[in-house]
Amino acid sequence: MSVQQGKQVKQLDRVIIRFAGDSGDGMQLTGDRFTQESAVFGNDLVTLPNFPAEIRAPQGTLPGVSSFQVHFADHDILTAGDAPDVLVAMNPAALKANLGDLPKGAAIIVDTHDFTARNLAKAGYATNPLDVLGDVNDPLGAFAVHAVDLTGMTIEAVKEFGLSRKDAARAKNMFALGLLSWMYGRPTEPTVTFLEKRFAKVADIRDANIAAFKAGWNFGETTETFVVQYEIKPAPMAPGTYRNITGNLALAYGLVAGGVQSGLPVFLGSYPITPASDILHELSKHKAFGVTTFQAEDEIAGVGAAIGASFAGSLAVTTTSGPGIALKSEAIGLAVMTELPLVVVDVQRGGPSTGLPTKTEQADLLQAMFGRNGEAPLPIVAPRSPGDCFDAALEACRIAVTYRTPVMLLSDGYLANGSEPWRIPELADLPTIDPNFAAPGPQDPDGTTSAFQPYARDPHTLARPWAPPGVAGLEHRIGGLEKADITGNISYDPANHDLMVRTRQAKVDRIAESLPPLEVDDPSAEDGQGAKVVALGWGSTYGPIGAGVRRVRKAGYRVAQVHLRHLNPFPKDLGEILARYDKVLVPEMNLGQLSMLIRAKYLVDAVGYNQVRGLPLKAAEVAEAIGELISQAEGIQVDLSADATPAASPDASTAVSTQEALS
Amino acid sequence: MTTDLNFPGLRSGVELVPNSEQAQTGKEYTSDQEVRWCPGCGDYAVLKAVQGFLPDLGLRRENIVFISGIGCSSRFPYYLDTYGMHSIHGRAPSIATGIATAREDLSVWVVTGDGDALSIGGNHLIHALRRNVNMTILLFNNRIYGLTKGQYSPTSEAGKITKSTPMGSLDHPFNPVSLALGAEGSFVARTIDSDRKHLTAVLSAAAAHRGTSFVEIYQNCPIFNDGAFDALKNPDTKADAIIPLVHGEPIRFGAPDSNGLGTKGLIRDSETGGVKVVDLADLGDAVEDRLLVHNAYNPDPTMAFAISRLTDSGYLNQSPIGIFRQVERPTYDDQARAQVGEARAAHPGDRTERLAALIGGGDTWTVV
Ligand code: SF4
């Protein structure tokens, strides 16, 4: 489909669209399709799905609203955006629930069909806001509102397929997608192909969805309602082949890759839990790679079976979220004591207790670090973006196998469901992992073999031998009781216990030897002016912190950024790097857990920027927090609205261009 | 939606475990660790029986794995020179499930106790049984907590005075055999620590069974619950207390008649729908018709359950002993491996190339 003559085309550098509707309106699918189209088009993008924990929350109510935000741009971007430029609202509740997030001037495309007295009441509207558009007291006066009967037009468009009115109306999300696809010049073939596949077995539904999608496109192109079409050029990206990927999918692929790169069968023991279940679902599809998935009777059995499989020589994994980690703690301690490889995936969600199952948080760091009885250290790895979940998972496998230890992989709900373009790695570039199984020792001259020592250690890694059953001469017993050094026999000896506690800690500390130097993003270090403030983060806050840092730099100030993948042990150079700066800001989606570790370890006066709203940090707010510290450190007034580099890249630019274009 | 599951067929429990080329001795199965149970503990007898029985099994020692939880009996793996893990309280069946599913070439044994298996680990026990993972679970039932020094257990008789229940325990006890049958156990047996011959016979049958074999072993704890099984062991009372279950044999016991056969037997109880003990003399000519013949292979577990209910839940004056049920059913681990095998056969070729295709799938675009 081509751009029709007569419509105006405006260039934009980036747009944030939020699709919002009732849980049953298919907003996640709509957003996902728009994302795929944008990815194929070549924009850089970041997404933020947001949905209720209830599978079928009460229809038409505020708690039942589900939304999907996609930020796409002609340049490299880091976040799903603080505030949407465009809101697509499928019912009154979706309008009401999202209005507060819109900046003045944002565009709203609203489906008038569901603005009935009943639905308005459910959403808490006394009167229909669409009735007073343009009046003096128009509550939507600050926005550019396009009130369109999307549902009605959808029903009309799919009439020929003879569906019930209800089924016909269901295709309204595809009508909306078609309209937005037209508006932003998205390629349509991927969605048509997708619909053909998805509904291959139900011809009428398939045809109705495709028809609705095309009708939405044509509506934009032919009517007067929308006079401008927008163009967001592809973003320059490093050469390579890309795909759009969510964190959970990338993490599952990383685990499959861990099996391939180590030559080991993968065993996943897991119990379903939001937001980690998709990893179990995905891995269960990959039996052809020698992946066994075991859906256990509970969280404890999930990790128990994984520990058994590890003892038996598999690359063992257990996946869960925070509440599951709490249940698995004792078993993870067993893996620490028995020194068996194990990858423990915690897709963090809002807590404590059941908390906010579908929302994101980073509040399990200290649980990962200390949440076991006794001195039970284990390495912690955290991915920074959806695509990075692949590399982080592979890294967790490497550490687990090389050092014979459980490893905690801390993802979160934002990474799990969010997506970004991912450059597909060349397999030759992936690390190989050597299981290095124990072999029977050489025979003594008298024909006997010296006894196997299950707790002798590799001098470099301090790892003990991994000796799965089936090898004669290596028969041995391990368990949760304290082990004697070298022999692994039960030992209650005080000096031995002290030695073993220290040895287990030393082994985890030793992992730092295998880590690359930290990347310090500090352009000002080059010119000798040196930033006085560094922003230190971990996990999924990479995007918002990076975007905040860009804003600060764009306004002409200096700030450095360091982002941690390894939370335990910390990279060797971290202390020295932090010492270079006067102020250390640690933005986190918790009440200061990394801050606490940094303060304890390096005696650095880390300042936290902490939000626990179940949502990603906002770049603008992180920028404010950085500005505040710069002002203290440099004794200057900081004005972030200044633009010191007008020609520079613009993640920090506001959405003004978009807004004025749409109004 | 369901699908027909592939099952590689019925096999012996140890069919895929490599055999030893040489004859073995009990000594080879004895580790160098000093055995530390209390003097007179029933665990010694079971350890001896197992060490004596394993060589007869004829498997390669390195392909045998013993997993235990926590409790007195859970020290068991340390004393056997096989592979082993003394794990955490109650979780041994889950760890064994991982091992058995990951490796078809291992003979997997779980050693557990009444507290370990029925209290803290109850969930794992019932799910292992329903999945029918190929492993043998030895439940040492001493009807008391030994390691923590004498609190009542889930198999202690109600009203038991212990350190934690000075006025008597209030819990109604589990009957482990009834529980295992209710959890869809495919092999359910009971034996006694002091009867080495019976114990060994049951262990042999359990090892030969493919699936989860559940063996309750009455085990005396002379320190905290001495004499709990005396009625079954005392030569004066045991003929009346033990109801022997032998597949294909009439179930009769009690003082022998002139032919050396028991004078009591089991018949159906039309009032309760269960079974009851009668003096065979009272049946007169109907003995042949009404005396139950034990059928461990009965696909329907109802009769086995009814027999299990004859276990006296107070002081054990009466208990059926033997193999209650032994039926063939597909095993979880065989089927899990079959699914992996099927998927592999459908996707031949180099794993690395297939990985490249996997991660490079979906909607892709290339930037040059
Ligand atoms: S406390 Fe009882 S069960 Fe435990 S070792 Fe001593 S005698 Fe055996």
Side-chain angles (χ1 to χ4, degrees), chain A residues 1 3 7 10 12 15-20 27 29-38 41 43 68-72 84-90 106-111 144 146-148 150 153-154 171-188 191 212-223 225-226 228-232 658 662:
Chain A
M1 298 182 206
V3 176
K7 293 267 184 179
K10 282 199 178 172
L12 295 177
V15 178
I16 302 163
I17 300 179
R18 187 181 291 176
F19 296 93
M27 290 299 101
L29 176 68
T30 311
D32 193 53
R33 285 321 308 166
F34 191 89
T35 303
Q36 296 294 349
E37 292 173 359
S38 300
F41 182 74
N43 291 131
F68 189 106
Q69 182 164 316
V70 50
H71 181 189
F72 57 105
D85 306 311
V86 183
L87 171 69
V88 179
M90 304 302 283
I108 302 175
I109 298 169
V110 52
D111 182 3
H146 302 274
V148 193
L150 297 175
M153 284 188 287
T154 304
K172 66 184 170 188
N173 62 333
M174 287 300 115
F175 187 95
L177 178 64
L179 174 59
L180 272 290
S181 299
W182 168 79
M183 200 178 283
Y184 293 98
R186 308 287 92 184
T188 54
T191 292
F213 177 61
K214 291 187 172 166
W217 174 286
N218 293 335
F219 174 72
E221 191 169 51
T222 51
T223 66
T225 317
F226 297 94
V228 197
Q229 204 184 8
Y230 303 95
E231 188 176 23
I232 298 91
T658 316
L662 265 171

Side-chain angles (χ1 to χ4, degrees), chain A residues 461-537:
Chain A
T461 59
L462 298 182
R464 75 173 192 88
W466 187 13
V471 181
L474 301 186
E475 293 86 355
H476 67 288
R477 277 68 54 195
I478 55 176
L481 284 170
E482 183 59 286
K483 303 280 162 288
D485 186 30
I486 302 176
T487 65
N489 292 333
I490 301 172
S491 168
Y492 299 107
D493 178 61
N496 177 74
H497 178 55
D498 189 82
L499 172 73
M500 294 302 279
V501 167
R502 288 172 199 279
T503 304
R504 285 186 286 267
Q505 181 65 54
K507 182 178 80 166
V508 172
D509 292 344
R510 196 60 73 88
I511 295 165
E513 304 289 336
S514 70
L515 306 181
L518 269 176
E519 274 174 42
V520 182
D521 172 27
D522 186 2
S524 62
E526 307 266 306
D527 59 22
Q529 297 194 353
K532 287 193 164 33
V533 174
V534 61
L536 175 71

Side-chain angles (χ1 to χ4, degrees), chain B residues 36-43 72 142 146-147 219-224:
Chain B
R36 293 209 183 151
W37 289 307
C38 308
C41 177
D43 292 355
C72 292
N142 57 11
L147 194 67
Q219 174 244 321
N220 192 40
C221 168
I223 305 296
F224 295 111

Side-chain angles (χ1 to χ4, degrees), chain A residues 33-43 45 186-191 234 237 242-244 421, chain B residues 362-367:
Chain A
R33 285 321 308 166
F34 191 89
T35 303
Q36 296 294 349
E37 292 173 359
S38 300
V40 169
F41 182 74
N43 291 131
L45 60 89
R186 308 287 92 184
T188 54
E189 299 76 27
T191 292
M237 293 193 194
Y242 288 78
R243 66 181 287 173
N244 188 51
Chain B
D363 293 336
T364 62
W365 69 100
T366 300
V367 176

Side-chain angles (χ1 to χ4, degrees), chain B residues 76-228:
Chain B
F76 208 90
Y78 288 118
Y79 307 138
L80 280 176
D81 199 6
T82 63
Y83 283 85
M85 192 192 298
H86 174 213
S87 74
I88 45 177
H89 210 6
R91 317 303 169 200
S94 67
I95 291 167
T97 294
I99 296 173
T101 305
R103 295 277 296 271
E104 64 183 14
D105 62 332
L106 302 178
S107 170
V108 181
W109 298 71
V110 168
V111 176
T112 183
D114 38 322
D116 195 53
L118 300 173
S119 234
I120 195 166
N123 201 30
H124 309 308
L125 177 72
I126 58 174
H127 289 278
L129 287 163
R130 93 179 152 87
R131 288 192 190 100
N132 204 27
V133 181
N134 190 26
M135 60 165 112
T136 299
I137 298 175
L138 308 181
L139 190 156
F140 291 47
N141 182 7
N142 57 11
R143 309 186 76 196
I144 198 78
Y145 283 166
L147 194 67
T148 51
K149 302 201 168 118
Q151 302 83 0
Y152 72 103
S153 91
T155 54
S156 296
E157 61 277 19
K160 195 167 187 69
I161 308 267
T162 72
K163 278 184 190 153
S164 61
T165 50
M167 293 175 73
S169 63
L170 304 174
D171 297 24
H172 184 77
F174 267 140
N175 175 332
V177 166
S178 297
L179 181 82
L181 289 167
E184 308 288 341
S186 62
F187 181 105
V188 180
R190 176 184 287 150
T191 182
I192 307 179
D193 57 359
S194 53
D195 186 346
R196 172 130 177 211
K197 203 167 141 232
H198 190 262
L199 177 59
T200 305
V202 169
L203 290 181
S204 301
H209 176 73
R210 196 163 192 84
T212 304
S213 304
F214 175 85
V215 182
E216 180 191 9
I217 304 171
Y218 283 154
Q219 174 244 321
N220 192 40
C221 168
I223 305 296
F224 295 111
N225 203 18
D226 197 21

Side-chain angles (χ1 to χ4, degrees), chain A residues 116-136:
Chain A
T116 58
R118 211 174 110 91
N119 282 325
L120 286 161
K122 274 198 221 170
Y125 277 116
T127 56
N128 187 348
L130 303 182
D131 286 348
V132 289
L133 288 179
D135 288 6
V136 263

